[in-house]
Amino acid sequence: MRDGTSGHDQGGVPMGGPAEVEARGTGSEPADEGPWEVRSAVRAPEIAYHPGRRAAVRRGPADPVKVLMHRHRDLCERAVDPLEIAAGLEAHGLTDRTAARYRHRDVFSLAEELYARVPAAGRSARAHHERPGRDTEARAGWTLTALLPGAACLATAGALRATEGVLGGGARFAVTAAGALLVVLGLRLCLRAGPLRVPAAAGGGTLYVCWLLGFAVYGDGLIAQVVSGGPDGHWTAAPAPLLGLSLALAPAAWCAHLFAAHARRRLAGSHGLSEFGARVRPVLFGVVALFLCATTALLYLAGLGHPGPGAGLTGPAALGALLLLARLLAVHGFPEPAATGLAAACAVEVAAPFLVLAGRLPGLDLLARPVDAVVAAAGPGGVAVLACGIAASGLLVHASVTLTRASAHASA
C-alpha cells in the first residue's frame, strides 16, 4: 500500500518509475503484491541504467587507420608525398568506397593522414636529390639523346643520296650498315634514360618493333609484288618512313614527359580516384593527338626529301602511334598489353602475303580475297594501315583505362 506522507512506495521505487510504468502498461495498479513488486523494483533500474550495455555492442579498433598504417608501413616510409601513398594503396586494391571504412571520403585524404602519421627518414634525402636544377639538366640530357637516332638516320640517308652513282654496291652497303649501327646505339641511349625508359625489361617487344620497322621500309613493295603475281626479284626500299619515325623519337620523349607531368599535376589536385581518371583521360588523348601531328609533319618532310614507293603518311603515322602507346604502357608498368598490341600488328602483316600465296592453290582463292580487297581500296600500304591502326586503337582503349589510374603514376 502507498504511504500517504511519502512520495515512494513500499519497494523504495520513485512514483512514476519503471515499476509503476510497467504496471500501468498492463492495466493494473502498482500495489504491494509482495515478491513481484520487489523483483520489478530491483531489475527495472538495472536494465534501464546499466552503464556497460551500450559500449559492449561496439566492436573493431577505435583507430582503423592504425591497422592500415602498420600494414603498409614500408609504402608510407618510402613515399615522398601523399600522392605516392594514394597510388600505392590503389595498386593494392583500395578504392574510394573502401576508404569510407577508414572514415575518409576518398583514398587521397586517407593517404594524407597516413603520410602525416608515419615518420620517414628517407624523405628529406630524396626531396633534396630531386632539385629543380637537376631536373632541368636531366631534361636537356634526354632531349639530346632522343635526337641522336634521327640525326644518325638523317646523316646516313644524306650520305647515300650524295654518293649515289659514285660508290659501288659494297661501299654503299658499308655506309648503310654503319648508319644502322649508329641509329641502334642512339636508340639504345634514348630508351635507357628519360621519359621513355622502362623500369623493367618488356620481354619480346624488341623483335616485334624490328619487324614493324622492316615492314614499314619493305612491306609495301612486298605486298605489291605478291598481289601482282610475284614476288619477282628485288623490290625497292622506302627510307622515308624509317627516317620520319626516327626523327619522331624526340617528340615521343616530350609527349611522354608531358603526359607524366600533367598526370602528376592532376593527381595532386584530385579528390577521388574517379575524379583523377576523368581529369587525366583528356590529357592522354591530347598527347597522342599531338604526337600524331608532329609525326605526320616529319613523315611529310621525309617524303619530300626521299620520294619513292611507300612514302604514304597513314601507315607510318599509325605505326608511330602504336609504338608510342606501347612504350607509354611499358613505362607505366604494363608491358604485357604493350607486347600483345605489337604482336597483333606483326601477325596481321605476316599473314597478309601468306594469305595471298595460299590463295593461289586450287580451291583456296577465298583466302586471298580480304587482302585483295584491302589493296584495291587503299593500295599496298593499306595492310600496314589496317594492322597498325587496329592495334593502336586497341592499345589506346586499354591505355584510357590503365593509364588513368593513380597507381600508374606512383613513380612518375
Side-chain angles (χ1 to χ4, degrees):
M1 298 293 292
R2 293 174 183 169
D3 191 353
T5 62
S6 174
H8 296 72
D9 57 15
Q10 292 181 359
V13 182
M15 293 180 64
E20 186 172 345
V21 171
E22 184 174 348
R24 288 173 183 171
T26 57
S28 61
E29 288 287 332
D32 52 343
E33 296 187 9
W36 183 91
E37 181 184 1
V38 173
R39 187 164 54 248
S40 299
V42 173
R43 293 195 55 81
E46 180 185 11
I47 295 173
Y49 301 102
H50 194 284
R53 290 269 179 200
R54 188 175 297 274
V57 179
R58 191 171 176 180
R59 292 186 179 90
D63 186 6
V65 180
K66 190 174 182 180
V67 178
L68 193 68
M69 183 175 62
H70 287 292
R71 187 181 305 164
H72 301 284
R73 177 168 290 274
D74 292 339
L75 169 66
C76 298
E77 289 178 347
R78 291 195 310 266
V80 178
D81 52 36
L83 304 180
E84 290 193 11
I85 299 178
L89 292 178
E90 192 209 27
H92 284 86
L94 198 70
T95 63
D96 289 336
R97 179 177 296 181
T98 313
R101 288 170 22 199
Y102 299 94
R103 304 171 189 171
H104 282 269
R105 69 179 183 275
D106 51 50
V107 175
F108 291 92
S109 62
L110 177 59
E112 289 175 357
E113 181 176 349
L114 290 173
Y115 181 80
R117 293 177 61 174
V118 177
R123 288 177 187 169
S124 58
R126 288 183 60 184
H128 177 73
H129 182 266
E130 298 175 359
R131 295 196 304 264
R134 294 192 178 184
D135 188 50
T136 303
E137 295 175 3
R139 289 182 190 178
W142 57 254
T143 300
L144 289 176
T145 56
L147 292 172
L148 289 178
C153 192
L154 187 61
T156 304
L160 290 175
R161 183 156 189 170
T163 58
E164 190 173 359
V166 177
L167 298 179
R172 291 178 65 83
F173 177 78
V175 171
T176 303
L181 179 61
L182 290 176
V183 171
V184 170
L185 290 177
L187 183 62
R188 186 175 181 84
L189 288 175
C190 174
L191 298 182
R192 292 185 65 175
L196 297 179
R197 180 180 62 87
V198 176
T206 303
L207 181 62
Y208 300 143
V209 172
C210 290
W211 169 266
L212 291 170
L213 292 176
F215 195 86
V217 176
Y218 296 102
D220 289 359
L222 173 63
I223 294 297
Q225 287 205 11
V226 169
V227 170
S228 61
D232 300 321
H234 300 284
W235 55 87
T236 307
L242 185 60
L243 177 59
L245 290 174
S246 62
L247 291 172
L249 267 173
W254 269 100
C255 286
H257 170 71
L258 289 176
F259 174 68
H262 280 275
R264 188 77 177 181
R265 233 172 264 137
R266 300 294 192 277
L267 191 62
S270 299
H271 297 286
L273 298 176
S274 58
E275 179 185 350
F276 170 73
R279 295 180 67 181
V280 81
R281 196 167 288 112
V283 177
L284 174 64
F285 295 151
V287 162
V288 173
L290 178 63
F291 175 76
L292 275 176
C293 293
T295 303
T296 303
L298 291 173
L299 288 169
Y300 177 75
L301 294 176
L304 290 179
H306 298 274
L313 302 178
T314 310
L319 174 58
L322 172 62
L323 295 177
L324 174 69
L325 288 167
R327 197 66 187 181
L328 283 178
L329 286 168
V331 165
H332 291 278
F334 303 97
E336 293 83 5
T340 302
L342 296 174
C346 290
V348 174
E349 292 181 349
V350 170
F354 281 100
L355 287 176
V356 176
L357 294 175
R360 297 176 184 176
L361 299 175
L364 297 179
D365 56 335
L366 187 64
L367 296 177
R369 289 183 184 178
V371 182
D372 292 337
V374 171
V375 172
V383 173
V385 173
L386 182 66
C388 297
I390 293 178
S393 301
L395 287 188
L396 182 60
V397 172
H398 191 276
S400 67
V401 176
T402 56
L403 297 186
T404 55
R405 298 173 183 168
S407 56
H409 306 275
S411 59

